[in-house]
Amino acid sequence: MNGQATAWMDYHARSSGFGPLSIFIRKLLNRSMLSANDQSAIAALPLRIQSFRADATILREGDRPGLCPILLAGFVYRYKLSAGGGRQIVALKMPGDALDLQSAFLHTADHNIRTVTAATIAMVPLADVEALVQARPAIARAALIDILLEGSISREWLLNIGRRTSEQRVAHLLCEIFYRADEIAGLPIADFDIPFTQEQLADLLGLTPVHINRMLKSLERAGAVERRGRRLFIRDLAALETISDFSGLYLHRSDLADNRY
Amino acid sequence: MNGQATAWMDYHARSSGFGPLSIFIRKLLNRSMLSANDQSAIAALPLRIQSFRADATILREGDRPGLCPILLAGFVYRYKLSAGGGRQIVALKMPGDALDLQSAFLHTADHNIRTVTAATIAMVPLADVEALVQARPAIARAALIDILLEGSISREWLLNIGRRTSEQRVAHLLCEIFYRADEIAGLPIADFDIPFTQEQLADLLGLTPVHINRMLKSLERAGAVERRGRRLFIRDLAALETISDFSGLYLHRSDLADNRY
DNA sequence: CGGCAACTTGACGTTGATCAAGCCATGTGG
DNA sequence: CCACATGGCTTGATCAACGTCAAGTTGCCG
């Protein structure tokens, strides 16, 4: 397990101002306008901070949760299992993401959520979240944008898994991870350490660990990535983008501007 | 092209009561409570009815649409292209579905939308949709549930494409298509004609047309499916479910009850 | 009846899975 | 600080699943 939190992952935990949920608020502000009052209202949500170890289960398929977990630090993923025991990771969540905005509306969880690394999570009662979004349309809008963005990423993953070669898939995923992490942490790319084991990369991409290993080797030969010890770094982002046919459109980064104007 | 509309697809066009958007309202009612006033408000939306031929483009990646299309009859899909020209269908939409609830919030379309069959679509100005959901929280909630459900289906597709064998994939897709169509049409399964060419099935599943052909033959040998002429019918749904490890949980059909109670 | 698109089938090639063995990094307890 | 245990990484050999190419055939509509 690669579960130790590397430096960049805690980057944002430092810069606060609205208490533990600061990072969540900042993430929403990336794509939505929120008034000072809206921000305070979020910060005032009742919550319980909970720590998880690496490889811990947060939500199980079939659960009917009463709490809305918000990820403050660490990495977490959604996954599903097939009958044969195959595991597919269907979404990746980073610090600042709400992990289950869905259960207020679709009551039964349709997937599992698990930690990659050690993680800190704020648990907010669903009822309070519901009251908040009812009282404050701007927050409801921001949450919806978050949901829509996750949908867009799912679609890109379908293209990635369905139609790209394994080397392209790996390269594409690395690009996405970098750009998404960059949005919250803005760390120099040379220090950016991809926090996944090869087995997890395999589950993210619908491949086998063995094959991931070979593709990483191939990407390293191409000078696109570098492996030091057990760690994986991006060495040439442009090369990764070329290899994988990456276009950042699906991350809707331009909507930052749009929603603020 | 298999683009002719078969009998069952127009099934619901008949039973109206709220004008052209009746089918949309009925679909929302499947998983949400809407008052008589809410329903009338939807029915009163200004709209332009537009007809499309099979294989027509409705929305292109990069567009910034000002209209919200609602599918009244026919089939439509979302798709993305990879650099190599590979096409991946990332979602399938059936009569009664809103095709683009997203553009009010993420302004640039991140995928294309195209008709499978001839289709009838109601075009509603985005501004009117926005005003409606702002004025009527119950409608906003119903739309959100629709968006979340599409997300759940995407996740199941990721599992399907990433971790199941090609025969399972085909069987799984056929199950999903049947259950979703059943929700709007409720036609006897023996008459239920799957409205896709083998090439389209291939794009839906990240496979090649040739391989789809072989898998259909295999499913036919197993008695799960029947082909008459160029048409495809489900003969043994239970067999398809067994083969594909299908569980309907992700379609959240139980939330019908939950949201009405 | 002619033309076209969709379907079918076979031969062959490639990608990525599977199986298996060994290696290396990291953390732990003596 | 070293010995060892453990989990993750690496590598090779083999194989099955699926893709590719190509040449028909069939159903369908004008």
Side-chain angles (χ1 to χ4, degrees):
Chain A
M1 190 59 310
N2 190 333
Q4 77 166 347
T6 45
W8 71 268
M9 275 184 260
D10 292 321
Y11 187 83
H12 253 340
R14 278 180 267 140
S15 59
S16 64
F18 273 114
L21 291 182
S22 289
I23 187 172
F24 174 56
I25 294 168
R26 196 164 333 101
K27 189 97 170 219
L28 292 179
L29 286 173
N30 272 350
R31 285 187 181 68
S32 306
M33 279 265 290
L34 293 176
S35 70
N37 281 344
D38 288 329
Q39 297 181 42
S40 305
I42 296 175
L45 280 169
L47 57 83
R48 186 166 45 86
I49 302 281
Q50 206 173 331
S51 291
F52 290 86
R53 280 176 304 114
D55 256 325
T57 296
I58 294 170
L59 184 75
R60 222 177 292 273
E61 193 171 343
D63 284 357
R64 299 170 67 93
L67 294 170
C68 175
I70 295 172
L71 186 58
L72 303 182
F75 268 50
V76 143
Y77 56 84
R78 309 185 193 282
Y79 72 100
K80 304 191 83 161
L81 298 172
S82 67
R87 187 173 74 155
Q88 178 66 47
I89 294 178
V90 296
L92 197 57
K93 303 266 84 182
M94 299 197 180
D97 285 326
L99 300 183
D100 188 15
L101 290 172
Q102 169 173 329
S103 289
F105 306 97
L106 297 175
H107 307 287
T108 307
D110 51 56
H111 61 272
N112 310 280
I113 304 182
R114 223 174 145 82
T115 57
V116 182
T117 60
T120 311
I121 293 180
M123 293 292 191
V124 182
L126 258 191
D128 293 284
V129 176
E130 290 192 69
L132 183 71
V133 298
Q134 252 168 44
R136 300 187 164 272
I139 296 178
R141 183 188 174 95
L144 177 56
I145 287 176
D146 197 69
I147 291 168
L148 291 170
L149 185 63
E150 179 166 338
S152 176
I153 293 173
S154 293
R155 288 189 287 271
E156 185 70 24
W157 283 27
L158 278 166
L159 175 63
N160 206 32
I161 293 181
R163 289 293 178 208
R164 288 200 257 252
T165 65
S166 56
E167 190 180 40
Q168 290 179 305
R169 281 189 228 183
V170 176
H172 192 280
L173 180 66
L174 298 182
C175 292
E176 177 179 318
I177 292 173
F178 172 73
Y179 279 114
R180 287 176 59 188
D182 185 56
E183 216 175 276
I184 52 173
L187 204 70
I189 194 165
D191 300 343
F192 177 77
D193 170 353
I194 284 132
F196 295 104
T197 63
Q198 295 184 4
E199 187 182 358
Q200 290 168 331
L201 290 174
D203 287 337
L204 280 157
L205 293 168
L207 295 167
T208 54
V210 172
H211 205 64
I212 292 287
N213 182 282
R214 297 196 230 266
M215 292 306 104
L216 287 179
K217 199 167 136 191
S218 156
L219 288 175
E220 189 172 40
R221 259 199 315 270
V225 304
E226 180 186 348
R227 289 174 301 163
R228 286 204 300 273
R230 220 156 255 188
R231 302 209 164 163
L232 178 61
F233 297 85
I234 292 173
R235 151 124 327 171
D236 184 348
L237 185 61
L240 285 179
E241 293 185 15
T242 305
I243 290 169
S244 65
D245 168 38
F246 184 88
S247 149
L249 182 65
Y250 74 102
L251 294 174
H252 290 276
R253 277 174 301 154
S254 68
D255 280 280
L256 272 80
D258 284 6
N259 281 295
R260 317 191 103 136
Y261 59 106
Chain B
M1 185 66 307
N2 191 332
Q4 77 166 347
T6 47
W8 71 270
M9 275 184 261
D10 292 321
Y11 187 83
H12 252 342
R14 277 180 269 141
S15 59
S16 65
F18 273 114
L21 291 182
S22 289
I23 186 171
F24 175 55
I25 295 168
R26 198 166 327 103
K27 189 97 170 216
L28 293 179
L29 286 172
N30 274 349
R31 284 187 181 69
S32 307
M33 279 265 290
L34 292 177
S35 70
N37 281 344
D38 287 330
Q39 296 181 43
S40 305
I42 296 175
L45 282 168
L47 57 83
R48 186 166 44 87
I49 302 282
Q50 205 172 334
S51 292
F52 290 85
R53 280 175 306 110
D55 257 322
T57 296
I58 295 170
L59 184 75
R60 223 176 292 273
E61 193 171 343
D63 284 356
R64 299 171 66 95
L67 294 170
C68 174
I70 296 172
L71 185 58
L72 304 182
F75 269 49
V76 143
Y77 55 85
R78 310 186 192 281
Y79 71 101
K80 305 192 81 160
L81 298 172
S82 67
R87 187 174 73 155
Q88 178 67 46
I89 295 178
V90 295
L92 196 57
K93 303 266 85 181
M94 298 196 182
D97 285 326
L99 300 182
D100 188 15
L101 291 172
Q102 168 172 330
S103 289
F105 306 95
L106 297 176
H107 306 286
T108 306
D110 52 55
H111 61 271
N112 310 280
I113 304 182
R114 222 174 146 81
T115 56
V116 182
T117 59
T120 312
I121 293 179
M123 293 293 193
V124 182
L126 257 191
D128 294 284
V129 175
E130 290 192 70
L132 183 71
V133 298
Q134 253 169 43
R136 301 187 164 270
I139 295 177
R141 183 189 175 94
L144 176 56
I145 287 176
D146 197 69
I147 290 167
L148 290 170
L149 185 63
E150 179 164 338
S152 176
I153 293 173
S154 293
R155 289 189 287 272
E156 184 70 26
W157 283 26
L158 278 166
L159 174 63
N160 206 33
I161 292 180
R163 287 297 179 205
R164 287 199 256 254
T165 65
S166 58
E167 190 182 39
Q168 291 180 303
R169 280 189 228 183
V170 176
H172 192 281
L173 179 66
L174 297 183
C175 291
E176 177 179 318
I177 292 174
F178 172 72
Y179 280 114
R180 287 176 60 189
D182 186 54
E183 217 177 273
I184 52 173
L187 204 69
I189 195 168
D191 300 342
F192 177 77
D193 171 352
I194 284 130
F196 296 105
T197 64
Q198 295 183 4
E199 187 180 0
Q200 289 167 332
L201 290 173
D203 287 338
L204 279 156
L205 293 166
L207 295 167
T208 53
V210 174
H211 205 64
I212 291 287
N213 183 281
R214 299 197 230 266
M215 292 305 105
L216 287 178
K217 200 165 134 190
S218 155
L219 289 173
E220 187 171 42
R221 260 200 314 271
V225 129
E226 182 186 345
R227 288 174 300 164
R228 287 204 300 272
R230 222 156 253 189
R231 302 205 165 168
L232 177 62
F233 298 86
I234 293 174
R235 150 124 327 170
D236 184 348
L237 184 61
L240 285 179
E241 294 186 16
T242 306
I243 290 168
S244 65
D245 172 36
F246 184 88
S247 148
L249 183 66
Y250 73 103
L251 294 174
H252 290 275
R253 277 176 299 155
S254 68
D255 280 279
L256 272 80
D258 284 7
N259 280 296
R260 317 191 102 138
Y261 58 104

